[in-house]
Amino acid sequence: MKRGIILFAHGARDPQWAEPFHAIHANVEKLSPNTTVRLAYLELMEPRLKDAVNELKQQGITQITLVPLFMAQGGHLKEDLPKLVTEIKTAHPTIQITITQALGESPVLLSAIAQWVAQQTQ
Amino acid sequence: MKRGIILFAHGARDPQWAEPFHAIHANVEKLSPNTTVRLAYLELMEPRLKDAVNELKQQGITQITLVPLFMAQGGHLKEDLPKLVTEIKTAHPTIQITITQALGESPVLLSAIAQWVAQQTQ
């Protein structure tokens, strides 16, 4: 069973906005060299989630782990994302999509962010 | 000269959205016990930035480090924040405000996020 990863970010009008997500994407590809990793956006940037899923499906990938690169659980993750995933699962019933916690739900990352704040403000 | 830290986040309608930022706030307070640390929001949540600056000023704090807890440099950091800070500096000319990089500009944090992604998707 081929697996893929989709890194899911909000999107913005300004292309520079996406730079951190491209950096994370490149890092994840290095850490998971045997897994196809794609970025996808909720809005304002391409590819959207359904397009990324389509691309992975065309590569024969049937199991996708979707990682929300959002700091916090707001309406985008509680409402928009489940709706999108339901639509995608209806269109592609053979694809299994697992959504992980958002990055702001990781105590390890929140601690790393706090340490970065403390270092910057000393 | 008394120093303060303001952690600046976007804000959202859903109170749960702010939980990661409260966690970061608590962590930073532990790491910087002699510094006053406040959260402030761009919109939708209180306190707003000017209210947080007012509070620190009333405590006799004249030097504020503002840390944008944003993943990426978009319109909020490029346009909204500089405009807000200019207004605040005009209203409080004795307060010095230094804006740090956004968290998505830290290679160390981007690497930590990528490692978290890889761990979650193994």
Side-chain angles (χ1 to χ4, degrees), chain A residues 35-62:
Chain A
T35 307
T36 303
V37 185
R38 290 290 178 271
L39 272 170
Y41 300 96
L42 175 65
E43 60 188 26
L44 302 169
M45 285 180 163
E46 302 293 338
R48 302 297 167 88
L49 185 56
K50 68 178 173 55
D51 302 320
V53 171
N54 267 332
E55 195 214 327
L56 294 185
K57 188 184 179 187
Q58 284 169 12
Q59 295 186 27
I61 288 166
T62 55

Side-chain angles (χ1 to χ4, degrees), chain A residues 3 6 14 16-17 33-34 46 50 54 91-92 99 103-104 108 119:
Chain A
R3 294 174 58 248
I6 294 179
D14 182 347
Q16 193 193 352
W17 182 90
N34 300 316
E46 302 293 338
K50 68 178 173 55
N54 267 332
H92 306 288
I99 304 174
L103 66 87
V108 172
Q119 282 165 1

Side-chain angles (χ1 to χ4, degrees), chain B residues 48-69:
Chain B
R48 301 298 167 88
L49 186 56
K50 68 178 173 54
D51 302 319
V53 170
N54 266 333
E55 196 213 326
L56 294 185
K57 187 183 180 189
Q58 283 168 13
Q59 295 186 28
I61 289 165
T62 54
Q63 189 177 356
I64 296 172
T65 307
L66 191 159
V67 184
L69 297 182

Side-chain angles (χ1 to χ4, degrees), chain A residues 3 14 16-17 72 78 121, chain B residues 3 14 16-17 72 78 121:
Chain A
R3 294 174 58 248
D14 182 347
Q16 193 193 352
W17 182 90
K78 288 182 177 175
T121 54
Chain B
R3 294 174 58 246
D14 183 346
Q16 194 192 350
W17 182 90
K78 287 183 178 175
T121 54

Side-chain angles (χ1 to χ4, degrees), chain A residues 58-113:
Chain A
Q58 284 169 12
Q59 295 186 27
I61 288 166
T62 55
Q63 190 178 355
I64 296 172
T65 306
L66 191 158
V67 185
L69 296 183
F70 283 67
M71 277 298 290
Q73 286 272 6
H76 293 318
L77 295 192
K78 288 182 177 175
E79 293 158 29
D80 300 339
L81 179 59
K83 193 178 161 201
L84 280 174
V85 169
T86 298
E87 289 170 6
I88 289 168
K89 284 182 172 173
T90 303
H92 306 288
T94 58
I95 306 286
Q96 184 188 332
I97 301 177
T98 308
I99 304 174
T100 72
Q101 61 178 190
L103 66 87
E105 295 177 285
S106 160
V108 172
L109 286 180
L110 295 179
S111 174
I113 291 168

